[in-house]
Amino acid sequence: MFSTIRADFKAVFVKDPAARNAIQVILFYPGFHAIVGHRIAHWFWKIGLKSIAYCVSSITRRLTGIEIHPAAKIGRGFFIDHGMGVVIGETAEIGDDVLLYQGVTLGGTGKEKGKRHPTLGSCIVVGAGAKVLGPITIGDNVKIGAGSVVLRSIPPNSTVVGVPGKIVKRNGQRLTPAEQLAHGDVPDIEYEMIERLEKEVKILKDEISTLKEEIKTIVSKKSVN
């Protein structure tokens, strides 16, 4: 557990350019406090002391505003940036080197039993306010844009935006730390669609104008004759 917490601590400096020193992170980073609290709660959960696990989880939630079920499985190098409002459900599974921003929900979609929360791979960034819901799988190296709602599994090396979430980029390239931090740097699919429609409307207007000129020419020729 302690080696995993050390990896989480190091991840803060990789994923947050505002992190200046160890004391600052230890004293003032609720995202780091939340993951430490979860590591402890999860340890109690695994050895069967579930009431204590719930108690630790509840205290951590009150202190940080971040709710992580003690049964959730979270890999190494996990970081929550500005974590207020983050919720991670009981059967959620998260790989290594994952970054979540504030307001993210890894939740269920109903009252079904068993696996009902998402499984996230490694090297993933989930933007502010995004919702990933249901027993779906998010592949490695995926970027989920702020405010997106993801209801279907996403293949690796993809960028997802929108409501519901749509894949807008799949280039097979691993996300660098700099790309992971740029969670707002994702395509605006609505703007692109409007822009495409505007271009098509302009083309139609030009064609109509040309057609009108041709009709005028034909009418003029007939009048002369």
Side-chain angles (χ1 to χ4, degrees):
M1 179 174 68
F2 293 105
S3 65
T4 304
I5 291 175
R6 281 197 297 270
D8 298 329
F9 179 74
K10 292 177 181 178
V12 176
F13 296 94
V14 174
K15 295 181 170 69
D16 186 3
R20 293 178 175 82
N21 55 65
I23 298 300
Q24 178 191 15
V25 172
I26 292 170
L27 293 180
F28 306 119
Y29 268 58
F32 179 66
H33 300 161
I35 189 57
V36 171
H38 173 71
R39 300 295 185 199
I40 296 170
H42 188 65
W43 183 80
F44 281 116
W45 183 274
K46 287 195 300 181
I47 65 173
L49 299 176
K50 295 186 178 181
S51 294
I52 297 177
Y54 275 122
C55 182
V56 173
S57 179
S58 179
I59 292 170
T60 302
R61 181 190 63 194
R62 290 176 182 273
L63 292 174
T64 65
I66 298 167
E67 182 173 349
I68 307 176
H69 194 284
K73 299 176 182 178
I74 300 178
R76 297 165 60 89
F78 179 72
F79 179 51
I80 302 173
D81 197 0
H82 299 288
M84 183 63 70
V86 167
V87 177
I88 300 176
E90 178 182 4
T91 61
E93 299 177 47
I94 300 173
D96 298 332
D97 299 316
V98 171
L99 169 62
L100 306 185
Y101 284 88
Q102 67 271 21
V104 167
T105 298
L106 305 182
T109 55
K111 296 183 179 180
E112 65 274 10
K113 301 290 185 179
K115 176 66 172 171
R116 59 190 185 279
H117 298 98
T119 297
L120 276 62
S122 298
C123 301
I124 290 173
V125 56
V126 185
K131 313 300 177 186
V132 185
L133 306 175
I136 60 176
T137 299
I138 309 299
D140 296 344
N141 308 315
V142 167
K143 182 192 291 185
I144 298 175
S148 300
V149 177
V150 183
L151 302 173
R152 296 182 179 180
S153 294
I154 304 298
N157 307 308
S158 302
T159 298
V160 180
V161 298
V163 181
K166 297 179 181 179
I167 298 171
V168 294
K169 186 185 296 184
R170 188 188 303 163
N171 57 19
Q173 298 296 318
R174 182 185 178 87
L175 296 179
T176 65
E179 288 174 327
Q180 290 188 14
L181 291 174
H183 69 121
D185 184 21
V186 292
D188 186 337
I189 56 175
E190 291 183 357
Y191 174 79
E192 291 176 357
M193 184 177 296
I194 292 171
E195 190 176 46
R196 186 166 62 250
L197 287 172
E198 287 179 345
K199 288 179 180 179
E200 291 177 357
V201 168
K202 185 178 183 304
I203 292 171
L204 288 172
K205 284 183 176 180
D206 291 342
E207 290 179 351
I208 290 171
S209 296
T210 302
L211 184 60
K212 283 182 177 179
E213 291 300 321
E214 291 177 352
I215 291 172
K216 284 182 181 179
T217 302
I218 293 170
V219 171
S220 298
K221 288 180 178 180
K222 286 186 177 181
S223 299
V224 171
N225 293 335

